PDB file of all heavy atoms in Angstrom:
ATOM      1  N   LYS T  12     -15.077  -0.053  11.844  1.00 82.00           N
ATOM      2  CA  LYS T  12     -15.388  -0.847  13.033  1.00 82.00           C
ATOM      3  C   LYS T  12     -16.860  -0.834  13.421  1.00 82.00           C
ATOM      4  O   LYS T  12     -17.271  -1.570  14.319  1.00 82.00           O
ATOM      5  CB  LYS T  12     -14.545  -0.365  14.218  1.00 82.00           C
ATOM      6  CG  LYS T  12     -13.064  -0.723  14.080  1.00 82.00           C
ATOM      7  CD  LYS T  12     -12.358  -0.675  15.412  1.00 82.00           C
ATOM      8  CE  LYS T  12     -10.949  -1.259  15.297  1.00 82.00           C
ATOM      9  NZ  LYS T  12     -10.238  -1.253  16.590  1.00 82.00           N
ATOM     10  N   LYS T  13     -17.640  -0.009  12.772  1.00 82.00           N
ATOM     11  CA  LYS T  13     -19.058   0.022  13.105  1.00 82.00           C
ATOM     12  C   LYS T  13     -19.857   0.533  11.923  1.00 82.00           C
ATOM     13  O   LYS T  13     -19.298   1.019  10.939  1.00 82.00           O
ATOM     14  CB  LYS T  13     -19.312   0.900  14.332  1.00 82.00           C
ATOM     15  CG  LYS T  13     -18.852   2.354  14.173  1.00 82.00           C
ATOM     16  CD  LYS T  13     -19.076   3.145  15.443  1.00 82.00           C
ATOM     17  CE  LYS T  13     -18.597   4.596  15.292  1.00 82.00           C
ATOM     18  NZ  LYS T  13     -18.802   5.369  16.524  1.00 82.00           N
ATOM     19  N   LYS T  14     -21.150   0.416  12.036  1.00 82.00           N
ATOM     20  CA  LYS T  14     -22.053   0.864  10.993  1.00 82.00           C
ATOM     21  C   LYS T  14     -22.116   2.386  10.984  1.00 82.00           C
ATOM     22  O   LYS T  14     -22.082   3.026  12.038  1.00 82.00           O
ATOM     23  CB  LYS T  14     -23.448   0.284  11.236  1.00 82.00           C
ATOM     24  CG  LYS T  14     -24.530   0.828  10.315  1.00 82.00           C
ATOM     25  CD  LYS T  14     -25.892   0.297  10.708  1.00 82.00           C
ATOM     26  CE  LYS T  14     -26.981   0.961   9.890  1.00 82.00           C
ATOM     27  NZ  LYS T  14     -28.327   0.492  10.293  1.00 82.00           N
ATOM     28  N   GLY T  15     -22.231   2.983   9.778  1.00 85.00           N
ATOM     29  CA  GLY T  15     -22.408   4.421   9.679  1.00 85.00           C
ATOM     30  C   GLY T  15     -21.740   5.021   8.464  1.00 85.00           C
ATOM     31  O   GLY T  15     -21.137   4.311   7.650  1.00 85.00           O
ATOM     32  N   VAL T  16     -21.842   6.334   8.323  1.00 84.00           N
ATOM     33  CA  VAL T  16     -21.155   7.040   7.247  1.00 84.00           C
ATOM     34  C   VAL T  16     -19.671   7.070   7.587  1.00 84.00           C
ATOM     35  O   VAL T  16     -19.277   6.859   8.749  1.00 84.00           O
ATOM     36  CB  VAL T  16     -21.712   8.467   7.080  1.00 84.00           C
ATOM     37  CG1 VAL T  16     -23.172   8.422   6.648  1.00 84.00           C
ATOM     38  CG2 VAL T  16     -21.574   9.260   8.384  1.00 84.00           C
ATOM     39  N   PRO T  17     -18.790   7.319   6.600  1.00 86.00           N
ATOM     40  CA  PRO T  17     -17.348   7.230   6.853  1.00 86.00           C
ATOM     41  C   PRO T  17     -16.845   8.001   8.060  1.00 86.00           C
ATOM     42  O   PRO T  17     -16.010   7.499   8.818  1.00 86.00           O
ATOM     43  CB  PRO T  17     -16.753   7.758   5.549  1.00 86.00           C
ATOM     44  CG  PRO T  17     -17.737   7.356   4.512  1.00 86.00           C
ATOM     45  CD  PRO T  17     -19.086   7.528   5.168  1.00 86.00           C
ATOM     46  N   LYS T  18     -17.340   9.212   8.288  1.00 87.00           N
ATOM     47  CA  LYS T  18     -16.814  10.010   9.403  1.00 87.00           C
ATOM     48  C   LYS T  18     -17.131   9.381  10.756  1.00 87.00           C
ATOM     49  O   LYS T  18     -16.449   9.663  11.755  1.00 87.00           O
ATOM     50  CB  LYS T  18     -17.353  11.445   9.339  1.00 87.00           C
ATOM     51  CG  LYS T  18     -18.827  11.596   9.589  1.00 87.00           C
ATOM     52  CD  LYS T  18     -19.245  13.058   9.471  1.00 87.00           C
ATOM     53  CE  LYS T  18     -20.726  13.243   9.771  1.00 87.00           C
ATOM     54  NZ  LYS T  18     -21.057  12.927  11.165  1.00 87.00           N
ATOM     55  N   ASP T  19     -18.153   8.525  10.786  1.00 86.00           N
ATOM     56  CA  ASP T  19     -18.514   7.841  12.030  1.00 86.00           C
ATOM     57  C   ASP T  19     -17.987   6.407  12.079  1.00 86.00           C
ATOM     58  O   ASP T  19     -17.647   5.899  13.144  1.00 86.00           O
ATOM     59  CB  ASP T  19     -20.040   7.824  12.199  1.00 86.00           C
ATOM     60  CG  ASP T  19     -20.637   9.212  12.316  1.00 86.00           C
ATOM     61  OD1 ASP T  19     -19.966  10.097  12.899  1.00 86.00           O
ATOM     62  OD2 ASP T  19     -21.751   9.422  11.809  1.00 86.00           O
ATOM     63  N   ALA T  20     -17.928   5.748  10.921  1.00 88.00           N
ATOM     64  CA  ALA T  20     -17.571   4.332  10.882  1.00 88.00           C
ATOM     65  C   ALA T  20     -16.069   4.090  10.905  1.00 88.00           C
ATOM     66  O   ALA T  20     -15.601   3.077  11.422  1.00 88.00           O
ATOM     67  CB  ALA T  20     -18.174   3.679   9.642  1.00 88.00           C
TER      68      ALA T  20
END
Side-chain angles (χ1 to χ4, degrees):
K12 289 199 170 181
K13 59 183 179 180
K14 172 185 174 182
V16 296
K18 68 181 182 65
D19 298 326

